Amino acid sequence: MIELKNELLTVTVAERGAEIVSVKNAAGYEYIWQADPKFWAKHSPLLFPVCGRLRGFAYTYAGKRYEMGNHGFAQRKIFTAERMSGTEAAFTLTEDAETLAEYPFRFVLRQRYALEGEVLRAFTRVENPARTPLYCNFGSHEAYAAGGNFSDWSVRFEREEDLVLKEQVNGNLSGRRIPYAEGVRELPLRQEMFDNDSLLFDGLKSRRVALLHRGKEAVEVRFGPYEHLLLWTKPGAPYLAIEPWNGLPDRADADGELPHKAGILRIDGGGAVEMEHSIRFFAEFKL
């Protein structure tokens, strides 16, 4: 574990998955879901080299079939960690025999965190050290504690939204867009909203959202360069995941060819892609 700390917050990041496992304010309030296996035994996994589910949990590349679970393998791998200061750390993952068995690419995945006052900045960078193209997506899956009565919590959008969902059936996209709610600035949360899966929004104008308890801000997520945003919880669980992704689950009729995957990033040899999202933890928040 690596701890980042200032006068407002203490952040703990695990070397496994470069995963944020705790963020506490000076009063000891815990903002991050504490991975109760009764519901979901994770905190905030880093998604790479895919976001969501592959059709049949597999894909094809250069004539060979590869199997891969939801969200890829980065979440289970041990990263090399470097503490840069008391408020900044970097984590690096490269290919090994295990990753090459399910993903036949050389890569450098870098995750850097910088704590600045109430804000934790997260930089995700993928580098292609090979000469041939690399195909990937990445995203974040931070789950925030939402204790007490779940209906006391809500999500506020930066701008008023006519919410439309990309329909998911058994973890894959159906290709249908479903109108969800019009003229929404603040969305009250209900457990039954998540009975069928996450809420995967299509075409949001907002570039930041906040999680509120009875109108009081707990966290705010800014996801500027990420095209997609999801909200998710296990029904009955006291947390909400707010997830910026640059990729999508496979469509139910996907042909399985990795370069054809909807929204896939192509990084040419020697190239890199980096994106930042940031999380503001309101330091005075308490339940």
Side-chain angles (χ1 to χ4, degrees), residues 9 15 57 67 94 115 126 141 154 165 179-180 206 220 227:
L9 299 171
E15 293 180 24
F57 299 98
E67 296 185 354
T94 58
L115 181 60
V126 180
H141 201 306
S154 62
L165 302 180
Y180 188 71
S206 300
E220 180 185 74
E227 185 175 356

Side-chain angles (χ1 to χ4, degrees), residues 181-206:
E182 294 183 353
V184 176
R185 183 72 193 281
E186 187 169 332
L187 181 66
L189 295 177
R190 307 182 311 279
Q191 291 283 358
E192 57 268 25
M193 295 163 66
F194 304 95
D195 284 346
N196 294 323
D197 212 320
S198 59
L199 304 182
L200 171 49
F201 297 113
D202 188 29
L204 284 181
K205 296 175 290 186
S206 300

Side-chain angles (χ1 to χ4, degrees), residues 203-248:
L204 284 181
K205 296 175 290 186
S206 300
R207 295 290 89 194
R208 65 176 185 264
V209 297
L211 177 63
L212 290 75
H213 180 262
R214 296 182 179 177
K216 185 177 181 180
E217 297 154 312
V219 300
E220 180 185 74
V221 179
R222 297 190 176 218
F223 57 99
Y226 286 86
E227 185 175 356
H228 309 292
L229 186 76
L230 297 87
L231 305 179
W232 174 77
T233 190
K234 284 281 186 73
Y239 68 83
L240 181 75
I242 301 175
E243 309 175 37
W245 294 6
N246 62 30
L248 289 167

Side-chain angles (χ1 to χ4, degrees), residues 267-284:
I267 305 175
D268 289 330
V273 171
E274 180 174 281
M275 293 187 183
E276 175 191 358
H277 74 288
S278 65
I279 310 161
R280 180 180 179 186
F281 298 92
F282 291 84
E284 300 301 318

Side-chain angles (χ1 to χ4, degrees), residues 66-196:
Y66 298 88
E67 296 185 354
M68 185 179 292
N70 286 352
H71 305 314
F73 50 74
Q75 59 190 307
R76 70 173 188 263
K77 300 295 290 183
I78 304 298
F79 284 60
T80 299
E82 177 189 4
R83 177 185 292 281
M84 304 169 75
S85 71
T87 57
E88 189 170 0
F91 300 80
T92 305
L93 180 70
T94 58
E95 78 282 347
D96 61 21
E98 182 184 39
T99 70
L100 289 169
E102 56 184 299
Y103 183 65
F105 299 93
R106 295 178 59 205
F107 66 88
V108 181
L109 172 60
R110 303 186 190 275
Q111 185 74 0
R112 180 167 62 91
Y113 296 106
L115 181 60
E116 300 175 0
E118 293 184 319
V119 176
L120 182 65
R121 301 175 67 189
F123 303 85
T124 306
R125 179 180 175 88
V126 180
E127 301 170 4
N128 180 5
R131 294 183 178 180
T132 53
L134 180 155
Y135 297 92
C136 71
N137 290 117
F138 54 86
S140 294
H141 201 306
E142 289 92 2
Y144 303 103
N149 190 337
F150 193 71
S151 62
D152 286 339
W153 294 84
S154 62
V155 171
R156 187 179 65 208
F157 295 88
E158 175 189 17
R159 300 173 65 179
E160 186 174 288
E161 299 281 355
D162 293 332
L163 297 176
V164 176
L165 302 180
K166 289 181 178 291
E167 185 184 49
Q168 300 176 76
V169 178
N170 297 323
N172 293 127
L173 298 179
S174 71
R176 295 179 62 208
R177 299 173 72 252
I178 307 296
Y180 188 71
E182 294 183 353
V184 176
R185 183 72 193 281
E186 187 169 332
L187 181 66
L189 295 177
R190 307 182 311 279
Q191 291 283 358
E192 57 268 25
M193 295 163 66
F194 304 95
D195 284 346
N196 294 323

